[in-house]
Amino acid sequence: MKTIIFYLALIASVAGILIAITALAGFGGNSKTETAVFLGFMFAVSNAAIAYSVHMIRKGKDIGHKAYPASLVSLLLVILMIYRWWSV
């Protein structure tokens, strides 16, 4: 199960970077662009934190068990920020 979560987090992290790059290249210099880039990078960072914590759990490190719930909460907060941004 942790292996699947690890690879899904890596894929989502790459997707977040691609979203940010696309938003940066596709739009002009307005506030929507800045928000899309910020949220894309935050999505990528939170998924990278999940991937790193799963990697540390697999290695048997204690930090992985502590960072995993925190990284899940950070992903939830980023998803809620994206939802709020789309609903406005």
Side-chain angles (χ1 to χ4, degrees):
M1 180 67 177
K2 296 287 185 189
T3 304
I4 294 170
I5 293 172
F6 175 74
Y7 287 115
L8 284 176
L10 283 179
I11 291 169
S13 181
V14 170
I17 291 172
L18 290 176
I19 290 168
I21 290 171
T22 304
L24 191 61
F27 298 117
N30 57 14
S31 64
K32 282 259 194 206
T33 302
E34 294 169 0
T35 306
V37 170
F38 172 74
L39 291 175
F41 279 125
M42 289 301 295
F43 187 73
V45 167
S46 63
N47 281 298
I50 291 171
Y52 181 72
S53 64
V54 169
H55 177 69
M56 286 290 120
I57 288 172
R58 275 204 239 146
K59 287 178 91 175
K61 304 287 183 180
D62 190 39
I63 190 72
H65 294 286
K66 294 176 182 176
Y68 186 70
S71 58
L72 287 178
V73 170
S74 71
L75 179 63
L76 176 67
L77 289 174
V78 169
I79 290 171
L80 289 174
M81 285 191 295
I82 292 171
Y83 174 74
R84 173 73 175 127
W85 179 63
W86 272 338
S87 67
V88 171

